[in-house]
Amino acid sequence: MGQLRTSPPPPQATELEQWVLSTAEELRELRASLRDALTRHGLIQGEDLDEVPHLVVLVATELATNALRHGRPPTIVTLLTADECFVLDVADHDLGSVPGQGDIHPLDSGGRGLMLAESVSLAVGWYATDETKNIWASFPR
């Protein structure tokens, strides 16, 4: 499919919460804690936004799973806010690879995390720091 665009998250983004994961077993706690954080930090409830927490949690799970499977630990999941959006940022410590979508076959059980993120979020991108490779996705608040 191709590579993600290289772009940092919005510069005015403010960190709300952060989770550090070392194993896939920690994903369950991430899901529960992230859903609580979205509510605690002012997810505006409304008819059009009822599924936002579900989508943020789904994308967080997919991106964190990719980072745990293909990156170098620890995986850092950060929830930020910017303007009218939540920004989900997932980092790993593998600076030697560029995130992209490989060839996906219909019968494959994996490999769709980035495609899913691109299809359900407002925007998706990636950037690198001196220590981490980060993939981010934004969602309406």
Side-chain angles (χ1 to χ4, degrees):
M1 294 238 39
Q3 293 182 351
L4 291 177
R5 68 183 175 113
T6 304
S7 170
Q12 71 277 16
T14 303
E15 183 177 319
L16 298 173
E17 299 206 24
Q18 188 174 86
W19 299 266
V20 179
L21 311 174
S22 297
T23 68
E25 289 73 26
E26 294 168 304
L27 290 169
R28 174 180 275 168
E29 177 59 32
L30 169 67
R31 287 189 289 268
S33 184
L34 181 55
R35 185 176 296 276
D36 290 343
L38 289 166
T39 302
R40 209 172 36 255
H41 291 291
L43 176 68
I44 299 167
Q45 295 298 318
E47 190 173 307
D48 294 337
L49 297 178
D50 286 341
E51 65 181 17
V52 169
H54 171 72
L55 295 176
V56 174
V57 170
L58 179 63
V59 170
T61 302
E62 290 292 327
L63 296 180
T65 298
N66 285 350
L68 288 166
R69 182 175 294 151
H70 303 293
R72 293 199 351 228
T75 294
I76 303 165
V77 179
T78 307
L79 179 65
L80 305 109
T81 185
D83 297 327
E84 298 299 316
C85 297
F86 282 115
V87 179
L88 180 70
D89 186 289
V90 179
D92 70 62
H93 293 79
D94 178 12
L95 296 174
S97 66
V98 174
Q101 300 173 354
D103 293 330
I104 301 170
H105 301 284
L107 299 178
D108 288 347
S109 62
R112 293 179 178 79
L114 290 173
M115 186 185 330
L116 174 72
E118 289 180 317
S119 69
V120 302
S121 63
L122 297 173
V124 177
W126 81 278
Y127 64 99
T129 69
D130 290 340
E131 298 178 6
T132 61
K133 172 182 66 207
N134 301 56
I135 299 176
W136 61 269
S138 62
F139 300 87
R141 191 164 178 178

